[in-house]
Amino acid sequence: MTGSDHSVVIEAAREYAGVRTRELSVAGTGPTVVLLHGYCDSADTWRGVLTRLAAAGRRALAVDLPGFGLADARRPGALTPQFDAFVDALVAAHGPVVLVGNSLGAATALHAAARDREGRVRGLVTLDEPLLARHLPARVVRLGEFRRLFDLAGRLPVPDRLVHWTVRHGVQRFVYGPGYRADPAFVATALRSVPNMAAAAERGRDAVRYAREHPGGHGARTVSCPVAVVHGAKDRIIPVRASRELHALLPGSELTVLPKAGHCPQLDEPDNVTALVLGILARADGHREHAG
């Protein structure tokens, strides 16, 4: 955390839908920008965007989703309803909001916007949407839960230092785009999420479970608020085609492909991501005036 970040971003404990979590927030005006991180990530991924939104005078917050970062562990059972209930509570507490999500957070934000019937969600930004991916890895993880494989992997006597080496190199290669240097502070949050082989197996198992909860992608969902669909062209996890399909499913949405960004554009290009968020805030204001 930089000195300027510390002076702007407020960190506090909060509770939503019975889940205790950590919230990072900045003061400002307008609808609250709610930032939702991706799988195996945390609110820390949004620090650069938070400081830029603060500089623009916009109120914003990022939270650790259930089971990630410093949030409470998830309960037994399906994952999606737990994420949904948590984000619905966020929207109820802070509405009106603009929802911004990366990967898992993008899917969760989209579904929350589609459920909104009270006009609390004024805008939506999705970064590197995952559920419409149809490449080979996405097809494989939907074949089965691979419980025995993950149970075996979790018991392997892999030294923690080797797990840490793999996490560091995995973050550099798969989270960031080529040419971007991984932030050591962000790498530290990744190591906190996957400290050993048992944790790695658990994360893998739940990722497969989440994918299998959405065999048809997003289904028939409609969103009435302005939408910006964003994808990093250098994403090595989810192909750009997934966001192109999402754009086609959401009439009136705008598609932006960032040519140099990877799976987490908010880390690679926080200036561009912030500009896109500010753009959707402006569209949300115009959309509301027109509707009124």
Side-chain angles (χ1 to χ4, degrees):
M1 183 188 303
T2 66
S4 60
D5 177 66
H6 181 74
S7 66
V8 172
V9 178
I10 298 171
E11 183 170 333
R14 293 285 186 263
E15 183 173 315
Y16 299 102
V19 178
R20 291 171 297 178
T21 190
R22 177 185 56 143
E23 180 178 282
L24 308 178
S25 65
V26 295
T29 61
T32 303
V33 179
V34 175
L35 303 159
L36 305 175
H37 63 76
Y39 190 81
C40 213
D41 204 341
S42 72
D44 295 295
T45 190
W46 296 109
R47 287 188 180 273
V49 173
L50 281 168
T51 56
R52 287 161 175 79
L53 288 172
R58 290 293 191 167
R59 181 168 55 246
L61 63 88
V63 290
D64 292 337
L65 291 171
F68 299 114
L70 299 180
D72 284 346
R74 291 185 294 277
R75 299 179 299 276
L79 281 67
T80 301
Q82 298 183 56
F83 296 135
D84 288 349
F86 182 84
V87 174
D88 285 349
L90 267 173
V91 172
H94 297 286
V97 303
V98 166
L99 294 176
V100 182
N102 171 229
S103 195
L104 164 68
T108 304
L110 170 61
H111 297 169
R115 287 192 303 274
D116 178 46
R117 294 295 181 270
E118 299 179 5
R120 290 175 172 169
V121 179
R122 300 284 178 81
L124 171 67
V125 182
T126 67
L127 305 175
D128 296 58
E129 188 286 323
L131 294 182
L132 292 174
R134 296 291 181 265
H135 58 325
L136 181 60
R139 296 198 302 271
V140 169
V141 299
R142 289 184 169 93
L143 293 177
E145 293 190 7
F146 306 106
R147 290 182 181 177
R148 293 183 179 179
L149 177 61
F150 286 118
D151 288 345
L152 175 62
R155 293 194 296 268
L156 291 175
V158 179
D160 290 354
R161 64 179 181 275
L162 179 56
V163 174
H164 297 173
W165 182 91
T166 303
V167 170
R168 291 190 187 95
H169 286 264
V171 166
Q172 182 65 70
R173 177 166 179 78
F174 294 104
V175 174
Y176 286 83
Y180 292 96
R181 181 177 177 272
D183 181 354
F186 180 75
V187 173
T189 68
L191 291 170
R192 185 178 65 201
S193 179
V194 187
N196 51 48
M197 195 61 197
E202 180 182 3
R203 296 306 194 198
R205 182 183 65 244
D206 280 358
V208 170
R209 287 177 58 206
Y210 181 77
R212 285 174 58 79
E213 288 175 10
H214 300 275
H218 298 289
R221 298 180 190 269
T222 59
V223 176
S224 59
C225 64
V227 181
V229 178
V230 185
H231 210 102
K234 301 301 183 181
D235 189 338
R236 294 186 173 107
I237 300 175
I238 304 296
V240 177
R241 181 179 176 181
S243 283
R244 294 191 188 280
E245 290 190 18
L246 180 60
H247 169 55
L249 289 174
L250 299 176
S253 63
E254 295 183 350
L255 174 65
T256 300
V257 178
L258 299 173
K260 297 181 180 179
H263 185 62
C264 293
Q266 70 272 20
L267 292 173
D268 291 337
E269 301 183 16
D271 287 329
N272 283 336
V273 170
T274 302
L276 289 164
V277 173
L278 293 174
I280 213 70
L281 281 163
R283 284 182 60 197
D285 290 342
H287 179 79
R288 190 160 183 81
E289 289 176 4
H290 179 73

